[in-house]
Amino acid sequence: MATHSGLPPSAVLAAACFLLILGVASATSVHYCDKHANYAVKVNGVDISPNPVVSGRTAKFGISAVTESPVEGGKLVIDVKYFGFHVHQETRDLCEETSCPVAVGDFVIAHEQVLPFYTPPGSYTLTLKLLSANGSQLTCVSFDFSVSFGLEVADE
């Protein structure tokens, strides 16, 4: 018997289990660049969707953070390494990635990136520095993520 999607129930169940595992696997460990620094902005975690990232598709990075002082604006410096080799760097306006001014308390930096279809699969490390409007470093974290090549993902 086929479901309304045209797939047998066992295939739907397998896909649902895969998505559940994928959702659990999306928790990403974050490491501060300097473990002894007292950063003004603390990062609570990073959500990556999809995880692993798929080349040629939009990847969404949600960085959950908290600040004890308002942040009027600033820059995000994003540096990416592939198996330890620098492959990409860009600078973004903080106010394009979250609402400014950032009020005291919790906030989310929402970054989207479309990786070129030729992006090689494997392990990547992203380092994110948040700089204030005057250039002082508010936080610096790094986290690992993976890129898959050629996975079939349903259009959103």
Side-chain angles (χ1 to χ4, degrees):
M1 180 169 114
T3 63
H4 69 279
S5 66
L7 297 173
S10 60
V12 173
L13 180 60
C17 290
F18 177 73
L19 290 175
L20 179 62
I21 292 168
L22 199 61
V24 171
S26 68
T28 302
S29 297
V30 177
H31 307 283
Y32 286 101
C33 301
D34 180 349
K35 294 176 184 169
H36 303 291
N38 186 20
Y39 294 114
V41 173
K42 309 289 193 252
V43 174
N44 298 324
V46 175
D47 289 320
I48 303 171
S49 178
N51 192 0
V53 173
V54 179
S55 58
R57 300 271 185 173
T58 300
K60 297 177 183 178
F61 298 87
I63 297 100
S64 302
V66 63
T67 181
E68 293 180 5
S69 302
V71 179
E72 296 301 319
K75 303 249 181 255
L76 296 173
V77 179
I78 299 167
D79 186 63
V80 180
K81 292 183 178 176
Y82 177 62
F83 288 109
F85 294 98
H86 180 267
V87 294
H88 179 74
Q89 184 175 33
E90 67 180 275
T91 301
R92 295 273 181 115
D93 186 310
L94 173 65
C95 299
E96 292 177 4
E97 308 291 315
T98 194
S99 297
C100 285
V102 176
V104 172
D106 296 333
F107 68 102
V108 174
I109 298 169
H111 178 71
E112 290 189 12
Q113 188 83 38
V114 176
L115 301 179
F117 72 90
Y118 54 81
T119 302
S123 298
Y124 290 78
T125 300
L126 188 146
T127 300
L128 175 76
K129 292 180 185 177
L130 173 54
L131 306 176
S132 69
N134 68 9
S136 63
Q137 186 168 276
L138 299 175
T139 199
C140 179
V141 295
S142 67
F143 56 90
D144 296 331
F145 67 98
S146 296
V147 173
S148 294
F149 182 70
L151 285 180
E152 290 295 324
V153 177
D155 290 332
E156 297 173 28

